[in-house]
Amino acid sequence: MDDTEQLLTIGVFARRVGLTSSALRFYDDCGLLRPARVDAVTGYRRYGAGQAPRAVKLRQLRAAGLPLVDAAVVLDGAEDAARDVLRAHLERTRRTADEARAVVEGLLREASGAPEHRGIRARARIGGAELASAVRQVAPAAATGAAREEFPVLGCVLLELVDGEVRWVATDRYRLAVRVLRPDGFEGGPRRVLIAADTARSLAEWAVRQVTVDIECAAEAAGARLRSGADRREVPEGAVQGRSGSEEPGVFPDYRLMLEGLETGRHRVIVDRVGLRDAVTGRAGPVSLSVGAGQGDAADSGGSSVPDSGGSMVPDTAGDAGDLAAGPVLEVTGGGREPVRMRVVRTGPGLRIAFDPAVLVPALEAGVGPDVLLEIAAPDRPVLVRSADQGSFTTLVMPVREGAGADVSDAGRTDG
């Protein structure tokens, strides 16, 4: 602080910045807004006039409901970190507001007794092509075969109307797919409906031919109704065959706990999506992906391949070795095929991780755009598969232990 700067008592400073004296003492204790000077004898706090902008910003952040930990990042953290914190808080407040509005609107409808709303618990309007795309992305993650026989509920797709959003979710315990849609109109909620995966696919075939689709969930009955004009599709609750042979609704896994429990990825790898899919497809048994984990130099990988400028795979000749050495390389090995090497953009230390191709390939095929981002916390933790072109679609894929058999190990389940 400049010794010539005007010092203000805590009361004067509090009035200038719109805070109370007690709030200033609290922020001093928290380390967010230290006084410019504290009298060693009396303990009186003095603030510099130049501290006013910080105090005003702190008051605004707290008025917006930002936690103190996040406020500290905005005030003192890097610009990128501050923006991330603010965007995350904006999303939280938006969802809270949407949920509150939906509850109040539902109570108003009940009070009014309007016949057109009576008995309807939730309603949302989605573009037909968008709805079809969401189902086609998510449905492949539903369980099939023996897994569906053991856990019939996993052979269903979850349709959820909540927080002003329409969500489609599917999981077979080894992968999880979630697509979030922002409807043009939303009323009521929350509502959850289980739909058999085959039924969901048939709905997608119908929806893609519609301009818009209204999804309606009644309060007095299970299931849902999809409507486009006079054309309707009644969707019963996905009753599933229990182990005793009786019809049971089943309990769908809590995918939110799965997503909220994700660790921050230490490794981020961006690679050509189609190239990686082709490199993994056709391999029998677990396939290993390595980046900077003792791979050796490019010139030592005879018979491997690298992508050309268009993203396709070309042989790794001696002339390409210098290009590969210029940047990080992802090497795909195992499964009875020759190694394939691809250029990548990467952050974090070197890593080696293994996947079952039957699980990884569908996740890559469901993505959108030329690139895929793999966020990896550890070789034995769920891997987040993301696309820069569609942030509303999330896929989790469980890795397997290297050297494991072709079947996915029990350690690789998304249900914990």
Side-chain angles (χ1 to χ4, degrees):
M1 183 195 74
D2 189 339
D3 290 338
T4 63
E5 183 180 10
Q6 179 186 7
L7 292 181
L8 307 173
T9 65
I10 190 171
V12 172
F13 186 74
R15 289 191 293 273
R16 176 172 294 190
V17 300
L19 290 168
T20 64
S21 298
S22 59
L24 288 173
R25 296 187 187 96
F26 178 71
Y27 295 143
D28 179 13
D29 294 337
C30 295
L32 285 177
L33 187 60
R34 299 287 193 189
R37 186 169 298 166
V38 178
D39 190 285
V41 177
T42 64
Y44 290 161
R45 295 170 173 85
R46 296 290 188 272
Y47 292 83
Q51 294 180 279
R54 179 183 178 90
V56 170
K57 192 170 188 178
L58 178 56
R59 173 175 57 80
Q60 293 171 335
L61 292 172
R62 295 295 285 162
L66 215 70
L68 284 176
V69 173
D70 290 343
V73 175
V74 175
L75 291 170
D76 300 316
E79 290 187 8
D80 289 346
R83 282 194 291 268
D84 289 344
V85 164
L86 290 172
R87 291 193 186 102
H89 184 67
L90 182 63
E91 179 66 14
R92 286 195 301 270
T93 55
R94 181 189 62 77
R95 292 191 178 194
T96 300
D98 286 343
E99 188 171 359
R101 184 178 65 250
V103 170
V104 173
E105 287 176 348
L107 293 172
L108 288 173
R109 284 194 299 274
E110 291 178 8
S112 66
E116 65 270 20
H117 293 305
R118 191 172 297 140
I120 297 297
R121 185 173 175 183
R123 176 188 284 121
R125 173 167 292 180
I126 296 288
E130 187 179 17
L131 189 154
S133 170
V135 174
R136 288 169 177 170
Q137 283 182 306
V138 167
T144 59
R148 181 174 59 188
E149 291 179 7
E150 183 179 5
F151 300 101
V153 70
L154 300 184
C156 295
V157 174
L158 174 65
L159 166 63
E160 195 171 47
L161 277 66
V162 64
D163 296 338
E165 297 175 340
V166 175
R167 303 173 188 170
W168 295 89
V169 187
T171 180
D172 60 1
R173 297 189 301 160
Y174 307 114
R175 55 185 164 165
L176 167 71
V178 181
R179 177 75 189 275
V180 179
L181 304 177
R182 292 290 299 169
D184 295 330
F186 189 97
E187 300 175 1
R191 189 74 169 90
R192 292 162 58 94
V193 179
L194 281 173
I195 303 174
D198 290 341
T199 301
R201 292 187 183 95
S202 67
L203 291 174
E205 294 175 2
W206 168 78
V208 76
R209 300 189 296 270
Q210 316 302 322
V211 177
T212 60
V213 174
D214 289 322
I215 303 173
E216 299 174 347
C217 298
E220 71 278 3
R225 172 189 298 158
L226 273 63
R227 179 168 54 83
S228 180
D231 196 355
R232 299 185 179 187
R233 293 290 187 273
E234 298 292 336
V235 185
E237 180 79 17
V240 294
Q241 195 73 23
R243 295 184 182 183
S244 63
S246 61
E247 293 291 323
E248 300 175 351
V251 178
F252 196 83
D254 191 340
Y255 71 94
R256 291 183 185 82
L257 289 179
M258 227 174 289
L259 295 175
E260 291 171 359
L262 283 179
E263 301 174 35
T264 303
R266 294 180 59 224
H267 316 269
R268 290 190 173 190
V269 178
I270 301 173
V271 64
D272 173 60
R273 181 177 65 85
V274 176
L276 180 58
R277 181 202 65 188
D278 293 345
V280 175
T281 299
R283 295 181 184 267
V287 55
S288 295
L289 276 58
S290 302
V291 180
Q295 301 175 40
D297 297 330
D300 296 331
S301 58
S304 63
S305 304
V306 296
D308 64 12
S309 58
S312 60
M313 306 306 294
V314 298
D316 178 12
T317 62
D320 297 320
D323 293 337
L324 279 171
V329 174
L330 170 70
E331 186 172 43
V332 182
T333 58
R337 280 184 53 191
E338 291 295 321
V340 173
R341 310 187 83 221
M342 307 176 64
R343 296 185 184 91
V344 297
V345 176
R346 142 195 165 208
T347 60
L351 68 102
R352 186 179 182 90
I353 189 169
F355 294 96
D356 180 354
V359 174
L360 181 59
V361 170
L364 296 172
E365 289 179 335
V368 173
D371 304 308
V372 64
L373 168 62
L374 307 179
E375 294 194 18
I376 306 169
D380 60 349
R381 303 300 301 162
V383 173
L384 185 62
V385 182
R386 297 173 52 199
S387 167
D389 296 281
Q390 193 172 72
S392 61
F393 178 56
T394 299
T395 308
L396 285 183
V397 176
M398 284 301 305
V400 298
R401 291 188 298 269
E402 283 196 278
D407 293 336
V408 180
S409 68
D410 286 343
R413 296 180 179 173
T414 56
D415 61 357

